[in-house]
């Protein structure tokens, strides 16, 4: 199991990444846009982003003009690495 807090400045984005277990993000402050495949959704403080299944590429972006903060929870097999693939940072445009 993995648990962390992340802070995103306006315009920040994670790399496109794939994890060995399911991942869920809870938005503590601000708003975060989550891209999973071709689907992009924005979640605000107090909302939980969609659960990303194991083996699915995803990214988080702060497309707002204010800071954002999330809590991440991942459950992954103990005999596998947490991150199985990571690419360049996602573009931070809404297109």
């Amino acid at each position: 199991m993995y648990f962390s807090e992340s802070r995103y400045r306006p315009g920040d984005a994670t790399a496109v990444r794939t994890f060995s277990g399911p991942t869920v993000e809870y938005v503590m402050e601000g708003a975060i846009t989550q891209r999973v495949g071709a689907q992009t959704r924005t979640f605000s403080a107090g909302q939980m982003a969609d659960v990303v299944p194991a083996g699915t590429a995803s990214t988080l972006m702060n497309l707002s003009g204010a800071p954002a903060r999330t809590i991440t929870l991942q459950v992954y097999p103990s005999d596998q690495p947490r991150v199985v693939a990571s690419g360049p940072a996602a573009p931070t445009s809404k297109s």
Side-chain angles (χ1 to χ4, degrees):
M1 185 180 301
Y2 175 82
F3 181 80
S4 72
E5 176 184 356
S6 298
R7 295 176 184 272
Y8 299 88
R9 294 174 299 204
D12 281 354
T14 66
V16 177
R17 64 261 164 95
T18 304
F19 298 103
S20 60
T23 302
V24 66
E25 307 278 346
Y26 181 79
V27 183
M28 299 290 294
E29 173 185 341
I32 286 291
T33 299
Q34 178 188 52
R35 182 175 295 150
V36 180
Q39 182 180 2
T40 301
R41 295 183 60 198
T42 299
F43 300 91
S44 299
Q47 293 183 308
M48 186 167 54
D50 294 335
V51 174
V52 178
T56 304
S58 66
T59 188
L60 294 175
M61 304 165 279
N62 182 350
L63 301 179
S64 75
R69 183 168 54 107
T70 64
I71 299 294
T72 303
L73 175 63
Q74 297 171 332
V75 179
Y76 61 97
S78 61
D79 63 341
Q80 295 181 21
R82 184 176 68 84
V83 180
V84 294
S86 184
T92 56
S93 67
K94 292 185 180 184
S95 58

